[in-house]
Structures are given as C-alpha cells and as structure tokens.
Amino acid sequence: MRQKQLGIFLSKLKQFKDPKAWAEQHPTEPDIAAEVLWFAYMNRDLEDKVVADLGAGTGVLGISALLLGAKKVYFLEKDPDAIKILKENLDLLENIETPTHYEIIQADVLSFDVKVDLILENPPFGTKETHADRDFLEKAVRYGDIIYTFHKQETSEFVEKFIIKHGFKATHHFDFAFPLKNTMPHHKKRIQRIKVGCWRIQRINL
Ligand code: SAH
C-alpha cells in the first residue's frame, strides 16, 4: 500500500454521525492521517509495533497503523456511539481480527494503562474541557516511547515544555490547517480552519 491508496481507503471510512461538542470530536482528515501515518511507516515506527490510538473516534489513525503493518492496535475511546462506527470501520479490514490484531477499550483516557511502542492521538484540544489535552499527553509519555500527537498550534509552547519536562524530545513537526466543519452549534462559519501541529516525539533515553 502507498500513501495515496491509504488516503483513498481512509476517505471511505464512516465518520462521526453526530459529533459531540463535549468530546471535541474533530476527526483527522483522511489525507492528513495518510501523510502522518505514511511518514511513521517510512520512519520504521509502525511495522511490527504495538500501538495505542487514544481517543480513537472512528479509528482513522489506528486503522492506518493496522494497514501499514502494526502488530497490534489498542483503540481507546470513551464515547459508545463513536465505538459503534469504529467497529463498522474495523469490519472493512481483511484478515484483521480482535483480539489478535486489535482490542477496543471503552474507557476514559485516565484509565489507560497498557505499555506500547507507539502512541497515536488527536486528542481533544482542551478548549471545551480544560486540561483534556494534558490528560492525553500524560498517558502518552507514561505508556509510549514514540508518540505522534496533534495539538492546536497556539498551544505549542505548553506542548514543547511538557515534552522536555517528561524526558522526551520532538524530532519532527507537521503543520496543518485543520478544517473544523460546522457540525456543532457553537461554530459560526461553515468551515473554520484552525492551525494544528502534529509532533513526533520520542523518549530521550530510548
Ligand atoms: N482519533 C480520531 C478522533 C479524534 S477526536 C481521529 O483522529 O479522527 C477526539 C476523540 O477523543 C473523540 O472521539 C472523543 O470522543 C474522544 N475523547 C474525548 N475525551 C475523551 C476521554 N476523556 N477519554 C477517551 N476518549 C475521549
């Protein structure tokens, strides 16, 4: 599979039916997920690795990892409606089965406790629930050695300080204009774009 095919496959996945404002359900666009996950694959971060997709939503990040050769993916998500869609999306994959290749954990991120090689997360940006982004980062640096994490660009100072404080270093950074479609009542413009960064970080003493 190449990056383009991955993007096409991801664009066919089912999306959130009714995004929930409290959970900040802003999916990663298929092309953006394909770009980041293809990079991870080329960087040897994926193949045969155990991966966690925290705040998995409809599964775009973890499903990419499975398609690109991850050994196993843990999908952690707290919203049962999102999990229904995630399951439908996982059913589209051939020869990928639970529990050998993936497990779904329906829980709050605060209860995540599985040691993995790689963490993928596009967490709530912490605009609705303060510190939601911090909760995800805390779990990521505790349970992963390599992390790809999406945050609003305007919070980059917080993210970068957090990384250093926890013994990690940022090795790569991607800039995106994330479309936040007007699917929630508090959004005024039809499509609002916000600057989002994706950081690849790794434990310094790895
Ligand atoms: N990873 C998906 C979804 C991103 S949106 C993608 O990239 O498209 C953020 C997701 O985190 C939503 O699905 C939301 O339901 C979930 N979420 C929000 N707060 C959470 C929490 N405290 N614990 C677990 N999941 C949470």
Side-chain angles (χ1 to χ4, degrees), residues 115-150:
K115 187 82 186 84
V116 294
D117 301 306
L118 174 71
I119 301 236
L120 304 170
E121 57 177 24
N122 168 12
F125 293 145
T127 36
K128 284 270 132 194
E129 221 170 300
T130 341
H131 301 318
D133 48 348
R134 184 190 299 260
D135 292 342
F136 277 74
L137 271 174
E138 270 169 3
K139 286 295 175 176
V141 295
R142 180 144 180 218
Y143 289 105
D145 291 325
I146 296 175
I147 301 161
Y148 286 77
T149 186
F150 288 82

Side-chain angles (χ1 to χ4, degrees), residues 16 23-28 55-57 60 77-78 107-109 122 124 136:
F16 291 112
E24 296 194 53
Q25 292 180 330
H26 41 70
T28 312
V60 67
E77 169 60 52
K78 99 172 178 187
D108 194 286
V109 72
N122 168 12
F136 277 74

Side-chain angles (χ1 to χ4, degrees), residues 4-177:
K4 196 169 168 203
Q5 290 168 285
L6 177 63
I8 292 169
F9 186 92
L10 298 179
S11 68
K12 294 180 182 151
L13 296 179
K14 291 204 174 124
Q15 292 294 328
F16 291 112
K17 284 200 188 82
D18 193 10
K20 298 185 173 117
W22 62 263
E24 296 194 53
Q25 292 180 330
H26 41 70
T28 312
E29 291 277 289
D31 286 352
I32 293 178
E35 180 180 337
V36 172
L37 272 291
W38 185 257
F39 173 89
Y41 170 72
M42 296 301 279
N43 209 42
R44 300 189 183 278
D45 290 336
L46 274 180
E47 230 170 336
D48 290 326
K49 304 290 189 202
V50 179
V51 180
D53 180 352
L54 300 185
T58 56
V60 67
L61 302 177
I63 286 174
S64 303
L66 285 169
L67 289 168
L68 296 173
K71 181 151 86 184
K72 177 159 183 172
V73 176
Y74 292 91
F75 292 90
L76 179 291
E77 169 60 52
K78 99 172 178 187
D79 173 23
D81 293 332
I83 289 186
K84 269 189 216 144
I85 304 170
L86 168 64
K87 284 185 176 156
E88 288 174 26
N89 285 336
L90 281 163
D91 285 343
L92 300 173
L93 306 182
E94 282 168 26
N95 304 322
I96 302 269
E97 280 158 18
T98 187
T100 322
H101 302 109
Y102 69 86
E103 280 180 46
I104 297 173
I105 306 171
Q106 185 178 333
D108 194 286
V109 72
L110 292 173
S111 64
F112 181 73
D113 62 356
V114 185
K115 187 82 186 84
V116 294
D117 301 306
L118 174 71
I119 301 236
L120 304 170
E121 57 177 24
N122 168 12
F125 293 145
T127 36
K128 284 270 132 194
E129 221 170 300
T130 341
H131 301 318
D133 48 348
R134 184 190 299 260
D135 292 342
F136 277 74
L137 271 174
E138 270 169 3
K139 286 295 175 176
V141 295
R142 180 144 180 218
Y143 289 105
D145 291 325
I146 296 175
I147 301 161
Y148 286 77
T149 186
F150 288 82
H151 300 274
K152 262 175 63 165
Q153 201 59 53
E154 67 191 47
T155 61
S156 59
E157 204 181 311
F158 155 70
V159 174
E160 275 155 25
K161 277 194 186 142
F162 188 98
I163 292 168
I164 293 165
K165 190 171 155 211
H166 290 81
F168 276 70
K169 64 176 176 197
T171 58
H172 300 82
H173 180 267
F174 305 78
D175 275 319
F176 297 113

